Amino acid sequence: MLETNFLIEKAAKTHHLNLTEITSLLADSSCEEALCRAADTVRHDFVGDGVHLRGLIEFSNICRQDCMYCGLRRDNGNVERYRLTEDEIVRLAEKAKGYGYRTVVLQSGEDAHFTAERLAAIVRRIHAMDLAITLSVGERPREDYALWREAGADRYLLRIETTDAALYESLDPGMSYENRVRCLRDLGELGYEVGTGSLVGLPGQTAEMLARDILFFQDIDADMIGIGPLIPNGDTPLGTAAPGDFHLTRRMVALLRLLLPEANIPATTAMETMVPRGRELILASGANVVMPNVTEGDYRRKYALYPGKICVADTPADCRACMSGRIAAMGRFVAKDKGFRHHGHHGSQPHFKDTDTAESQ
Ligand code: SAH
């Protein structure tokens, strides 16, 4: 216990722990409350009390990949496939802006219909609306990433899923760990804010592997890190696997805040699927971002990464109202700026800014 408290204090002060130290905190459920309290303090000191809302647009569930855990996998014949048109996507972005969101996240399966030029056209139209744009469309050649960046995309989400290369390649058949890392490197070099993250509870994954994930995120200086528990999907080969542990995931989020204090860290939808009010608990354990769904109607249900997805019957307006009420009830507020990563603001005011002046682009 003494040792544990010492490690938590060290992490909160120096933002550095070694592999053994991180592993021991991840593996020790008795330290969870203290760890999360420390993470909440570091979150307050580095990124403030503002919660950034990013409007999530799930624009296609068509995917050429065959990841063993994901409901959108190519071989899943039980999912009804859909693809929104350019105009439909732009219209959802307009609506997102109307709800007050400053960022939209365009996420899809790896859908070849969206050539680099087609997606660039969409990015240009949304960029002209003064919205920050996050893309999350999987692995692409560097030229595609470069074109979208020129078109106005600001950020990119691509989870590494696990840094254990053998585990990665066994769960993502036909994909290479090396290429995933190449993508993240290209994105960083092209000036994107880079978001990555892990799935917690993959079969065969150990606490030490998760600790290595954290060291990897430090190593690439990730701007955003999204962590979620595995939720077994009956339409996939991992359908009968054990679900990821909510508390281990929570400790992972808290450690990420301590060790990457400036990062934007979402309270992910998967957390709430496992535990009611799960996102509040995660927002109080180091997270500072929520990604409410902007996708409308039946598409929400069809974008079925995992079962039990929350709010599939709700409208985007419901999500906006629900999230802002919940954030206010926690004594936090919905940030009004675009929510770029803050660099080097340790200690006092600038990160509490409610305006756009602190933005780097
Ligand atoms: N095609 C994009 C978006 C993938 S879906 C890409 O490759 O980045 C977004 C994330 O959902 C994935 O990165 C994965 O971590 C998560 N996910 C997929 N299946 C899941 C499941 N069964 N349980 C929990 N999270 C899952």
Side-chain angles (χ1 to χ4, degrees), residues 189-230:
E189 286 170 7
L190 291 165
Y192 283 91
E193 284 199 347
V194 175
T196 183
S198 325
L199 268 172
V200 174
L202 294 168
Q205 189 183 43
T206 63
E208 186 176 313
M209 288 178 194
L210 289 170
R212 285 188 201 282
D213 292 356
I214 296 181
L215 293 173
F216 171 78
F217 303 146
Q218 280 189 321
D219 188 45
I220 66 166
D221 192 25
D223 300 298
M224 307 171 281
I225 305 138
I227 300 292
L230 172 74

Side-chain angles (χ1 to χ4, degrees), residues 63 69-72 107-110 136-139 157-159 161 180 198-199 228-233 270 303 305-307:
C63 193
Y69 40 80
C70 183
L72 308 190
Q107 192 179 78
S108 69
E110 294 200 8
S136 179
V137 304
E139 297 184 14
L157 302 181
L158 185 76
R159 288 186 178 173
E161 317 291 4
R180 198 116 182 130
S198 325
L199 268 172
L230 172 74
I231 303 175
N233 183 328
Y303 197 83
L305 304 172
Y306 46 75

Side-chain angles (χ1 to χ4, degrees), residues 60-292:
S60 165
N61 68 354
I62 296 169
C63 193
R64 69 190 168 105
Q65 303 293 5
D66 215 22
C67 305
M68 306 293 261
Y69 40 80
C70 183
L72 308 190
R73 70 199 303 269
R74 181 180 72 221
D75 284 357
N76 181 11
N78 292 334
V79 72
E80 291 169 61
R81 304 287 172 170
Y82 73 89
R83 172 188 291 141
L84 302 190
T85 65
E86 174 178 330
D87 284 347
E88 285 173 318
I89 298 168
V90 171
R91 218 167 299 130
L92 284 182
E94 274 162 6
K95 288 190 182 175
K97 185 167 163 117
Y99 302 128
Y101 298 134
R102 305 294 318 276
T103 294
V104 288
V105 181
L106 303 183
Q107 192 179 78
S108 69
E110 294 200 8
D111 181 353
H113 166 82
F114 290 96
T115 58
E117 192 39 60
R118 277 186 183 144
L119 193 54
I122 295 167
V123 169
R124 279 184 211 109
R125 287 175 66 184
I126 298 177
H127 181 66
M129 295 159 46
D130 188 30
L131 283 167
I133 301 167
T134 305
L135 294 178
S136 179
V137 304
E139 297 184 14
R140 292 286 192 129
R142 183 183 174 108
E143 304 80 73
D144 294 19
Y145 293 149
L147 185 69
W148 300 333
R149 178 85 185 115
E150 280 162 34
D154 303 281
R155 314 188 179 105
Y156 203 99
L157 302 181
L158 185 76
R159 288 186 178 173
I160 194 73
E161 317 291 4
T162 172
T163 55
D164 188 274
L167 183 60
Y168 177 86
E169 288 176 7
S170 73
L171 293 174
D172 302 280
M175 298 171 80
S176 90
Y177 180 76
E178 201 191 323
N179 193 52
R180 198 116 182 130
V181 174
R182 187 275 303 164
C183 290
L184 290 170
R185 195 183 319 113
D186 281 348
L187 291 162
E189 286 170 7
L190 291 165
Y192 283 91
E193 284 199 347
V194 175
T196 183
S198 325
L199 268 172
V200 174
L202 294 168
Q205 189 183 43
T206 63
E208 186 176 313
M209 288 178 194
L210 289 170
R212 285 188 201 282
D213 292 356
I214 296 181
L215 293 173
F216 171 78
F217 303 146
Q218 280 189 321
D219 188 45
I220 66 166
D221 192 25
D223 300 298
M224 307 171 281
I225 305 138
I227 300 292
L230 172 74
I231 303 175
N233 183 328
D235 290 334
T236 69
L238 290 197
T240 57
D245 183 79
F246 179 88
H247 289 282
L248 175 58
T249 313
R250 184 176 174 226
R251 294 197 293 283
M252 184 81 178
V253 168
L255 272 162
L256 284 166
R257 173 57 67 202
L258 294 175
L259 299 175
L260 289 101
E262 297 173 345
N264 282 323
I265 302 178
T268 57
T269 315
M271 300 300 273
E272 184 120 344
T273 297
M274 293 205 105
V275 170
R277 306 268 139 184
R279 280 183 295 187
E280 268 103 326
L281 196 55
I282 298 303
L283 281 175
S285 309
N288 70 322
V289 172
V290 176
M291 294 162 60

